Amino acid sequence: MTYLSLIMAIRFLGLFIVMPLLAIFALKLNGATDTTVGIALGAYALSQMFLQVIFGKMSDKYGRKHILAFGLFILALGSVVCAMSDNIYTLIFGRLLQGAGAIGGVVLAYLNDLATEETRAKIFARMGQFIALAFGISMIVGPTIGAKYGVNSLFLITAGLAILAIVLLYTKVPNPPKVEHFENHAKISEVLTNKELLKIYFSGFMQKGMMVIIFMVTPLIFVNELGWNKFDLWKVYVPALIFGIFAMPFGAIMAEKKGKGKLVFILSALFMVSSVIAFLAKFYVVGVILFFFGFNLLEPVLQSFTGKVARIHEKATAMSLGNSIQYMGIFFGGMVAGMIKQHYGYSALFYLILALGAIWIAVLFTMKEFKGYEVKEFKEFDDNMIEEFKNNENVHDLFIKEKVLIVRFYK
Protein backbone atom coordinates (compact mmCIF):
# COMPACT_ATOMS: atom_id res chain seq x y z
CA MET A 1 0.00 0.00 0.00
CA THR A 2 2.97 2.27 0.55
CA TYR A 3 3.97 1.74 -3.07
CA LEU A 4 0.48 2.67 -4.25
CA SER A 5 0.68 5.91 -2.26
CA LEU A 6 4.14 6.44 -3.74
CA ILE A 7 2.72 6.02 -7.25
CA MET A 8 0.09 8.66 -6.47
CA ALA A 9 2.81 10.97 -5.13
CA ILE A 10 5.02 10.38 -8.19
CA ARG A 11 2.11 11.31 -10.44
CA PHE A 12 1.42 14.50 -8.49
CA LEU A 13 5.13 15.36 -8.37
CA GLY A 14 5.18 15.15 -12.17
CA LEU A 15 2.20 17.51 -12.41
CA PHE A 16 3.33 19.91 -9.66
CA ILE A 17 6.98 20.18 -10.73
CA VAL A 18 6.20 22.41 -13.71
CA MET A 19 3.83 24.74 -11.85
CA PRO A 20 6.35 27.18 -10.26
CA LEU A 21 7.67 28.29 -13.68
CA LEU A 22 4.88 27.30 -16.06
CA ALA A 23 3.31 30.76 -16.27
CA ILE A 24 6.64 32.37 -17.23
CA PHE A 25 7.35 29.62 -19.78
CA ALA A 26 3.87 29.80 -21.31
CA LEU A 27 3.88 33.61 -21.69
CA LYS A 28 6.88 33.33 -24.05
CA LEU A 29 5.12 30.94 -26.44
CA ASN A 30 3.50 32.07 -29.69
CA GLY A 31 -0.11 33.18 -29.21
CA ALA A 32 0.15 33.52 -25.42
CA THR A 33 -2.01 35.94 -23.42
CA ASP A 34 -2.78 36.05 -19.70
CA THR A 35 -6.05 34.24 -20.40
CA THR A 36 -4.52 31.44 -22.50
CA VAL A 37 -1.71 31.05 -19.97
CA GLY A 38 -4.31 30.62 -17.21
CA ILE A 39 -6.08 28.01 -19.33
CA ALA A 40 -2.76 26.20 -19.92
CA LEU A 41 -2.13 26.06 -16.17
CA GLY A 42 -5.52 24.50 -15.48
CA ALA A 43 -6.10 22.57 -18.72
CA TYR A 44 -5.02 19.18 -17.37
CA ALA A 45 -7.70 19.55 -14.71
CA LEU A 46 -10.44 19.91 -17.34
CA SER A 47 -9.86 16.43 -18.77
CA GLN A 48 -9.37 15.06 -15.25
CA MET A 49 -12.70 16.55 -14.24
CA PHE A 50 -14.66 14.81 -16.98
CA LEU A 51 -12.82 11.47 -17.02
CA GLN A 52 -12.48 10.62 -13.30
CA VAL A 53 -15.76 8.70 -13.01
CA ILE A 54 -15.24 7.00 -16.39
CA PHE A 55 -11.82 5.70 -15.34
CA GLY A 56 -13.31 4.52 -12.05
CA LYS A 57 -15.97 2.50 -13.86
CA MET A 58 -13.39 1.10 -16.28
CA SER A 59 -11.27 -0.06 -13.35
CA ASP A 60 -14.28 -1.92 -11.93
CA LYS A 61 -14.72 -3.72 -15.26
CA TYR A 62 -11.15 -4.31 -16.47
CA GLY A 63 -9.16 -4.29 -13.23
CA ARG A 64 -7.42 -1.56 -11.27
CA LYS A 65 -3.85 -2.26 -12.40
CA HIS A 66 -4.43 -2.17 -16.15
CA ILE A 67 -6.41 1.07 -16.01
CA LEU A 68 -3.81 2.69 -13.75
CA ALA A 69 -1.06 1.72 -16.19
CA PHE A 70 -3.08 3.10 -19.12
CA GLY A 71 -3.62 6.41 -17.32
CA LEU A 72 0.07 6.73 -16.43
CA PHE A 73 1.04 6.06 -20.06
CA ILE A 74 -1.27 8.87 -21.22
CA LEU A 75 0.35 11.19 -18.65
CA ALA A 76 3.78 10.33 -20.10
CA LEU A 77 2.58 10.95 -23.65
CA GLY A 78 1.01 14.29 -22.78
CA SER A 79 4.20 15.36 -21.00
CA VAL A 80 6.26 14.70 -24.13
CA VAL A 81 3.81 16.80 -26.19
CA CYS A 82 4.18 19.66 -23.68
CA ALA A 83 7.97 19.41 -23.83
CA MET A 84 7.89 19.75 -27.62
CA SER A 85 5.39 22.62 -27.75
CA ASP A 86 6.41 25.91 -29.37
CA ASN A 87 3.03 27.66 -29.17
CA ILE A 88 0.43 28.09 -26.46
CA TYR A 89 -2.18 25.91 -28.16
CA THR A 90 0.10 22.89 -28.44
CA LEU A 91 0.92 23.37 -24.76
CA ILE A 92 -2.78 23.47 -23.89
CA PHE A 93 -3.37 20.29 -25.91
CA GLY A 94 -0.47 18.58 -24.12
CA ARG A 95 -1.84 19.65 -20.74
CA LEU A 96 -5.26 18.28 -21.67
CA LEU A 97 -3.60 15.01 -22.66
CA GLN A 98 -1.67 14.92 -19.38
CA GLY A 99 -4.96 15.15 -17.51
CA ALA A 100 -6.69 12.55 -19.67
CA GLY A 101 -5.04 9.85 -17.58
CA ALA A 102 -7.62 10.47 -14.86
CA ILE A 103 -6.54 7.81 -12.37
CA GLY A 104 -6.88 9.64 -9.06
CA GLY A 105 -10.20 8.04 -8.18
CA VAL A 106 -8.90 4.63 -9.26
CA VAL A 107 -5.93 4.88 -6.90
CA LEU A 108 -8.22 5.90 -4.04
CA ALA A 109 -10.57 3.00 -4.73
CA TYR A 110 -7.56 0.66 -4.95
CA LEU A 111 -6.29 1.87 -1.57
CA ASN A 112 -9.74 1.40 -0.11
CA ASP A 113 -9.81 -2.19 -1.44
CA LEU A 114 -6.48 -2.99 0.20
CA ALA A 115 -7.17 -1.27 3.53
CA THR A 116 -8.59 -2.93 6.61
CA GLU A 117 -10.88 -1.12 9.03
CA GLU A 118 -7.97 -0.64 11.41
CA THR A 119 -5.56 0.72 8.79
CA ARG A 120 -7.89 2.76 6.53
CA ALA A 121 -7.46 6.13 8.26
CA LYS A 122 -3.68 5.67 8.52
CA ILE A 123 -3.37 4.66 4.86
CA PHE A 124 -5.30 7.64 3.52
CA ALA A 125 -3.50 10.02 5.86
CA ARG A 126 -0.16 8.62 4.64
CA MET A 127 -1.22 9.05 1.03
CA GLY A 128 -2.12 12.67 1.74
CA GLN A 129 1.27 13.17 3.36
CA PHE A 130 3.01 11.66 0.32
CA ILE A 131 1.12 14.05 -1.98
CA ALA A 132 1.89 17.03 0.23
CA LEU A 133 5.56 15.99 0.30
CA ALA A 134 5.57 15.72 -3.50
CA PHE A 135 4.08 19.20 -3.57
CA GLY A 136 6.88 20.46 -1.33
CA ILE A 137 9.66 18.78 -3.32
CA SER A 138 8.30 20.32 -6.51
CA MET A 139 8.74 23.77 -4.93
CA ILE A 140 12.51 23.20 -4.89
CA VAL A 141 13.11 20.95 -7.90
CA GLY A 142 10.85 22.90 -10.27
CA PRO A 143 12.45 26.34 -9.90
CA THR A 144 16.05 25.07 -9.72
CA ILE A 145 16.07 22.51 -12.56
CA GLY A 146 13.55 24.44 -14.65
CA ALA A 147 15.52 27.67 -14.40
CA LYS A 148 18.79 25.94 -15.35
CA TYR A 149 17.67 23.47 -18.02
CA GLY A 150 14.31 24.86 -19.13
CA VAL A 151 10.71 23.97 -18.37
CA ASN A 152 10.83 21.48 -21.26
CA SER A 153 13.16 19.35 -19.12
CA LEU A 154 10.57 19.30 -16.34
CA PHE A 155 7.97 17.86 -18.69
CA LEU A 156 10.43 15.15 -19.73
CA ILE A 157 11.08 14.38 -16.05
CA THR A 158 7.31 14.00 -15.64
CA ALA A 159 7.21 11.51 -18.51
CA GLY A 160 10.03 9.52 -16.90
CA LEU A 161 8.29 9.53 -13.51
CA ALA A 162 5.11 8.18 -15.12
CA ILE A 163 7.02 5.26 -16.64
CA LEU A 164 8.69 4.60 -13.27
CA ALA A 165 5.24 4.50 -11.65
CA ILE A 166 4.08 1.86 -14.16
CA VAL A 167 7.09 -0.31 -13.26
CA LEU A 168 6.34 0.02 -9.53
CA LEU A 169 2.67 -0.79 -10.17
CA TYR A 170 3.38 -4.17 -11.74
CA THR A 171 6.33 -5.15 -9.56
CA LYS A 172 5.36 -3.93 -6.07
CA VAL A 173 1.58 -3.42 -5.75
CA PRO A 174 -0.54 -6.48 -4.82
CA ASN A 175 -3.84 -7.31 -6.50
CA PRO A 176 -6.90 -6.04 -4.58
CA PRO A 177 -9.19 -8.46 -2.68
CA LYS A 178 -12.83 -8.86 -3.63
CA VAL A 179 -15.32 -6.80 -1.62
CA GLU A 180 -19.06 -7.65 -1.64
CA HIS A 181 -21.59 -5.09 -0.43
CA PHE A 182 -25.36 -5.14 -0.26
CA GLU A 183 -26.34 -1.91 -2.00
CA ASN A 184 -26.45 -0.90 -5.63
CA HIS A 185 -23.61 1.33 -6.80
CA ALA A 186 -24.33 4.89 -5.73
CA LYS A 187 -25.65 7.44 -8.16
CA ILE A 188 -23.97 10.83 -8.35
CA SER A 189 -27.26 12.46 -7.34
CA GLU A 190 -27.30 10.32 -4.18
CA VAL A 191 -23.79 11.39 -3.20
CA LEU A 192 -24.60 15.06 -3.84
CA THR A 193 -27.41 14.97 -1.28
CA ASN A 194 -24.89 14.30 1.51
CA LYS A 195 -24.33 17.76 3.01
CA GLU A 196 -21.14 16.76 4.83
CA LEU A 197 -19.59 15.42 1.64
CA LEU A 198 -20.52 18.67 -0.12
CA LYS A 199 -18.58 20.65 2.50
CA ILE A 200 -15.54 18.45 1.94
CA TYR A 201 -15.94 18.84 -1.84
CA PHE A 202 -16.17 22.63 -1.54
CA SER A 203 -12.99 22.61 0.55
CA GLY A 204 -11.18 20.60 -2.14
CA PHE A 205 -12.47 22.98 -4.83
CA MET A 206 -11.21 26.04 -2.97
CA GLN A 207 -7.90 24.47 -1.95
CA LYS A 208 -6.95 23.36 -5.46
CA GLY A 209 -8.37 26.47 -7.14
CA MET A 210 -6.31 28.74 -4.90
CA MET A 211 -3.27 26.53 -5.51
CA VAL A 212 -3.21 27.16 -9.25
CA ILE A 213 -3.86 30.88 -8.71
CA ILE A 214 -0.90 31.16 -6.33
CA PHE A 215 1.27 29.22 -8.78
CA MET A 216 0.26 31.63 -11.53
CA VAL A 217 0.69 34.95 -9.76
CA THR A 218 3.76 34.20 -7.62
CA PRO A 219 6.36 33.83 -10.40
CA LEU A 220 4.76 36.65 -12.42
CA ILE A 221 4.89 39.05 -9.47
CA PHE A 222 8.43 38.19 -8.40
CA VAL A 223 9.97 37.98 -11.88
CA ASN A 224 7.93 40.47 -13.95
CA GLU A 225 6.90 42.98 -11.28
CA LEU A 226 9.74 42.89 -8.74
CA GLY A 227 12.55 42.09 -11.19
CA TRP A 228 13.75 38.87 -9.56
CA ASN A 229 15.74 36.37 -11.56
CA LYS A 230 13.78 33.15 -12.01
CA PHE A 231 16.79 31.26 -10.58
CA ASP A 232 16.02 32.94 -7.25
CA LEU A 233 12.43 31.76 -6.91
CA TRP A 234 13.62 28.92 -4.67
CA LYS A 235 14.17 31.59 -2.00
CA VAL A 236 10.40 32.02 -1.91
CA TYR A 237 9.41 28.37 -2.10
CA VAL A 238 11.94 26.83 0.32
CA PRO A 239 10.66 28.72 3.42
CA ALA A 240 7.14 27.75 2.37
CA LEU A 241 8.26 24.13 2.09
CA ILE A 242 9.77 24.17 5.59
CA PHE A 243 6.55 25.47 7.15
CA GLY A 244 4.53 23.04 5.01
CA ILE A 245 6.52 20.08 6.34
CA PHE A 246 5.45 21.00 9.87
CA ALA A 247 1.84 21.42 8.75
CA MET A 248 1.47 17.88 7.35
CA PRO A 249 1.87 15.84 10.55
CA PHE A 250 0.08 18.49 12.60
CA GLY A 251 -3.01 18.27 10.38
CA ALA A 252 -2.97 14.47 10.30
CA ILE A 253 -2.56 14.11 14.07
CA MET A 254 -5.23 16.68 14.90
CA ALA A 255 -7.76 15.16 12.50
CA GLU A 256 -7.06 11.44 12.83
CA LYS A 257 -5.85 11.00 16.41
CA LYS A 258 -7.35 13.96 18.26
CA GLY A 259 -10.71 13.90 16.47
CA LYS A 260 -10.43 17.60 15.51
CA GLY A 261 -11.07 17.29 11.79
CA LYS A 262 -13.43 20.27 11.68
CA LEU A 263 -10.79 22.46 13.30
CA VAL A 264 -8.19 21.35 10.73
CA PHE A 265 -10.51 22.28 7.85
CA ILE A 266 -11.23 25.71 9.39
CA LEU A 267 -7.58 26.46 10.20
CA SER A 268 -6.54 25.45 6.69
CA ALA A 269 -9.08 27.81 5.14
CA LEU A 270 -8.04 30.64 7.47
CA PHE A 271 -4.36 30.29 6.56
CA MET A 272 -5.04 30.14 2.83
CA VAL A 273 -7.39 33.13 2.87
CA SER A 274 -4.93 35.04 5.07
CA SER A 275 -2.30 34.50 2.38
CA VAL A 276 -4.41 36.59 -0.01
CA ILE A 277 -4.52 39.42 2.54
CA ALA A 278 -0.72 39.24 2.72
CA PHE A 279 -0.51 39.48 -1.09
CA LEU A 280 -2.77 42.56 -1.04
CA ALA A 281 -0.48 44.10 1.58
CA LYS A 282 2.50 43.24 -0.68
CA PHE A 283 4.01 40.87 1.88
CA TYR A 284 4.47 38.34 -0.89
CA VAL A 285 6.87 35.91 0.77
CA VAL A 286 4.63 35.80 3.86
CA GLY A 287 1.65 35.18 1.58
CA VAL A 288 3.31 32.19 -0.08
CA ILE A 289 4.28 30.72 3.31
CA LEU A 290 0.76 31.14 4.72
CA PHE A 291 -0.78 29.53 1.68
CA PHE A 292 1.46 26.46 1.63
CA PHE A 293 1.05 25.97 5.38
CA GLY A 294 -2.74 25.96 4.98
CA PHE A 295 -2.59 23.76 1.86
CA ASN A 296 -0.42 21.11 3.52
CA LEU A 297 -2.52 21.24 6.68
CA LEU A 298 -5.57 20.05 4.75
CA GLU A 299 -4.04 17.74 2.13
CA PRO A 300 -3.36 14.71 4.40
CA VAL A 301 -6.98 14.56 5.62
CA LEU A 302 -9.05 15.61 2.60
CA GLN A 303 -9.39 12.17 0.98
CA SER A 304 -9.45 10.39 4.32
CA PHE A 305 -12.57 12.28 5.38
CA THR A 306 -14.27 11.62 2.07
CA GLY A 307 -13.74 7.90 2.69
CA LYS A 308 -15.02 8.19 6.24
CA VAL A 309 -18.21 10.05 5.47
CA ALA A 310 -19.19 8.07 2.34
CA ARG A 311 -20.85 4.67 2.79
CA ILE A 312 -19.13 1.59 1.41
CA HIS A 313 -21.18 1.40 -1.79
CA GLU A 314 -20.65 5.14 -2.35
CA LYS A 315 -16.89 5.27 -1.89
CA ALA A 316 -15.72 4.84 -5.47
CA THR A 317 -18.31 7.32 -6.74
CA ALA A 318 -17.75 9.75 -3.85
CA MET A 319 -13.96 9.74 -4.24
CA SER A 320 -14.06 10.04 -8.02
CA LEU A 321 -16.57 12.88 -7.77
CA GLY A 322 -14.45 14.58 -5.10
CA ASN A 323 -11.43 14.41 -7.38
CA SER A 324 -13.46 15.78 -10.29
CA ILE A 325 -14.56 18.75 -8.20
CA GLN A 326 -10.99 19.43 -7.09
CA TYR A 327 -9.87 19.42 -10.70
CA MET A 328 -12.77 21.68 -11.55
CA GLY A 329 -11.29 24.09 -9.02
CA ILE A 330 -7.89 23.88 -10.72
CA PHE A 331 -9.31 24.55 -14.19
CA PHE A 332 -11.60 27.41 -13.21
CA GLY A 333 -8.93 28.83 -10.87
CA GLY A 334 -6.43 29.07 -13.73
CA MET A 335 -8.92 30.33 -16.31
CA VAL A 336 -10.58 32.93 -14.08
CA ALA A 337 -7.24 34.10 -12.69
CA GLY A 338 -5.92 34.67 -16.20
CA MET A 339 -9.01 36.55 -17.35
CA ILE A 340 -9.29 38.78 -14.29
CA LYS A 341 -5.56 39.56 -14.20
CA GLN A 342 -5.58 40.44 -17.91
CA HIS A 343 -8.55 42.80 -17.70
CA TYR A 344 -8.62 44.06 -14.10
CA GLY A 345 -5.25 43.36 -12.46
CA TYR A 346 -4.03 41.48 -9.40
CA SER A 347 -6.05 43.36 -6.78
CA ALA A 348 -9.41 42.46 -8.34
CA LEU A 349 -8.36 38.80 -8.38
CA PHE A 350 -7.36 38.86 -4.71
CA TYR A 351 -10.60 40.56 -3.61
CA LEU A 352 -12.63 37.91 -5.44
CA ILE A 353 -10.72 35.16 -3.60
CA LEU A 354 -11.35 36.94 -0.29
CA ALA A 355 -15.10 36.98 -0.95
CA LEU A 356 -15.16 33.28 -1.85
CA GLY A 357 -12.88 32.50 1.09
CA ALA A 358 -15.28 34.17 3.52
CA ILE A 359 -18.10 31.97 2.20
CA TRP A 360 -15.87 28.90 2.52
CA ILE A 361 -15.00 29.61 6.15
CA ALA A 362 -18.66 30.28 7.01
CA VAL A 363 -19.67 26.93 5.47
CA LEU A 364 -16.98 25.08 7.44
CA PHE A 365 -18.34 26.38 10.74
CA THR A 366 -21.53 24.41 9.99
CA MET A 367 -19.52 21.20 9.47
CA LYS A 368 -20.28 18.31 11.82
CA GLU A 369 -17.41 16.89 13.83
CA PHE A 370 -16.71 13.36 12.66
CA LYS A 371 -16.92 11.00 15.65
CA GLY A 372 -15.87 7.79 13.93
CA TYR A 373 -17.48 4.36 13.90
CA GLU A 374 -17.52 1.26 16.02
CA VAL A 375 -16.44 -1.66 13.82
CA LYS A 376 -17.39 -5.29 14.42
CA GLU A 377 -16.35 -8.33 12.39
CA PHE A 378 -18.27 -11.63 12.11
CA LYS A 379 -16.69 -14.75 10.66
CA GLU A 380 -19.97 -16.63 11.01
CA PHE A 381 -23.16 -15.08 9.65
CA ASP A 382 -26.26 -15.86 7.56
CA ASP A 383 -28.81 -14.01 5.43
CA ASN A 384 -31.12 -13.31 8.37
CA MET A 385 -28.29 -11.69 10.29
CA ILE A 386 -27.42 -9.52 7.29
CA GLU A 387 -31.06 -8.40 6.92
CA GLU A 388 -31.19 -7.42 10.59
CA PHE A 389 -28.11 -5.25 10.20
CA LYS A 390 -29.49 -3.70 7.02
CA ASN A 391 -32.61 -2.62 8.91
CA ASN A 392 -30.68 -1.33 11.93
CA GLU A 393 -30.69 2.49 11.99
CA ASN A 394 -27.42 2.54 13.93
CA VAL A 395 -25.54 0.77 11.11
CA HIS A 396 -23.58 3.06 8.80
CA ASP A 397 -22.71 0.29 6.33
CA LEU A 398 -21.85 -3.39 6.09
CA PHE A 399 -19.95 -5.51 3.60
CA ILE A 400 -18.15 -8.82 3.18
CA LYS A 401 -14.39 -8.78 2.73
CA GLU A 402 -12.43 -12.02 2.42
CA LYS A 403 -15.40 -14.01 3.79
CA VAL A 404 -15.72 -11.82 6.89
CA LEU A 405 -18.83 -9.69 7.52
CA ILE A 406 -17.78 -6.20 8.59
CA VAL A 407 -20.32 -3.87 10.19
CA ARG A 408 -19.71 -0.20 11.01
CA PHE A 409 -21.98 1.33 13.64
CA TYR A 410 -22.49 5.05 14.28
CA LYS A 411 -20.93 6.20 17.56
Side-chain angles (χ1 to χ4, degrees), residues 57-67:
K57 291 182 177 179
M58 289 172 61
S59 74
D60 288 336
K61 185 175 182 180
Y62 299 109
R64 307 276 194 232
K65 276 192 176 181
H66 300 317
I67 298 304

Side-chain angles (χ1 to χ4, degrees), residues 17 25 38 50 53 101 189 221 232 343:
I17 199 172
F25 168 76
F50 287 111
V53 176
S189 58
I221 288 174
D232 294 327
H343 296 290

Side-chain angles (χ1 to χ4, degrees), residues 29-30 40 78 80-97:
L29 297 177
N30 294 329
V80 173
V81 172
C82 289
M84 297 173 64
S85 62
D86 60 359
N87 64 78
I88 191 67
Y89 300 104
T90 303
L91 178 64
I92 290 173
F93 172 72
R95 295 285 285 166
L96 286 168
L97 194 57

Side-chain angles (χ1 to χ4, degrees), residues 139-401:
M139 298 302 96
I140 298 176
V141 175
T144 52
I145 293 181
K148 186 172 184 179
Y149 299 105
V151 175
N152 307 72
S153 67
L154 299 178
F155 282 118
L156 293 176
I157 289 173
T158 300
L161 289 172
I163 299 302
L164 172 62
I166 293 174
V167 174
L168 288 176
L169 176 65
Y170 281 105
T171 58
K172 298 295 184 179
V173 179
N175 293 320
K178 287 188 175 182
V179 177
E180 178 185 352
H181 50 76
F182 307 100
E183 302 281 353
N184 294 324
H185 288 291
K187 297 179 181 178
I188 292 177
S189 58
E190 178 185 342
V191 174
L192 290 177
T193 60
N194 188 319
K195 293 181 180 180
E196 296 308 305
L197 277 176
L198 289 178
K199 293 167 190 175
I200 296 172
Y201 290 163
F202 186 39
S203 296
F205 178 89
M206 289 296 298
Q207 182 212 33
K208 295 304 191 296
M210 288 185 66
M211 177 195 73
V212 74
I213 291 171
I214 294 297
F215 270 130
M216 179 178 180
V217 302
T218 297
L220 295 180
I221 288 174
F222 279 93
V223 175
N224 295 348
E225 304 292 330
L226 301 181
W228 282 39
N229 190 304
K230 61 184 179 180
F231 287 93
D232 294 327
L233 283 174
W234 67 269
K235 297 177 182 178
V236 180
Y237 292 121
V238 168
L241 171 61
I242 293 172
F243 280 92
I245 288 174
F246 285 105
M248 285 187 289
F250 177 73
I253 292 170
M254 288 294 292
E256 303 293 349
K257 293 186 177 180
K258 303 294 185 180
K260 301 293 183 181
K262 178 179 178 178
L263 178 62
V264 171
F265 274 79
I266 292 173
L267 286 176
S268 172
L270 286 171
F271 275 108
M272 283 190 272
V273 173
S274 296
S275 73
V276 178
I277 298 174
F279 268 86
L280 280 168
K282 298 186 178 181
F283 296 124
Y284 300 122
V285 174
V286 174
V288 175
I289 290 173
L290 287 172
F291 173 77
F292 287 136
F293 186 88
F295 181 95
N296 285 339
L297 194 66
L298 183 60
E299 188 63 28
V301 301
L302 195 59
Q303 299 295 355
S304 174
F305 270 64
T306 302
K308 288 177 178 179
V309 173
R311 298 177 65 188
I312 186 68
H313 72 288
E314 298 172 335
K315 287 189 188 297
T317 301
M319 289 180 172
S320 294
L321 184 58
N323 272 324
S324 294
I325 291 172
Q326 289 181 46
Y327 286 118
M328 185 188 301
I330 293 173
F331 176 73
F332 282 106
M335 182 179 68
V336 172
M339 293 174 63
I340 292 179
K341 178 194 172 295
Q342 181 175 346
H343 296 290
Y344 304 104
Y346 291 113
S347 294
L349 175 61
F350 293 143
Y351 282 120
L352 174 62
I353 299 172
L354 279 179
L356 291 173
I359 295 172
W360 179 22
I361 293 168
V363 168
L364 289 178
F365 272 100
T366 70
M367 191 176 188
K368 292 181 181 179
E369 191 67 78
F370 179 76
K371 297 181 180 179
Y373 305 108
E374 180 184 358
V375 180
K376 293 185 178 181
E377 298 183 359
F378 303 90
K379 294 183 179 180
E380 296 182 2
F381 56 90
D382 55 28
D383 292 341
N384 291 332
M385 186 176 178
I386 291 172
E387 286 299 318
E388 287 181 11
F389 282 130
K390 289 171 68 175
N391 294 322
N392 188 332
E393 294 181 355
N394 292 322
V395 173
H396 177 68
D397 55 26
L398 67 156
F399 54 96
I400 298 172
K401 186 173 183 178

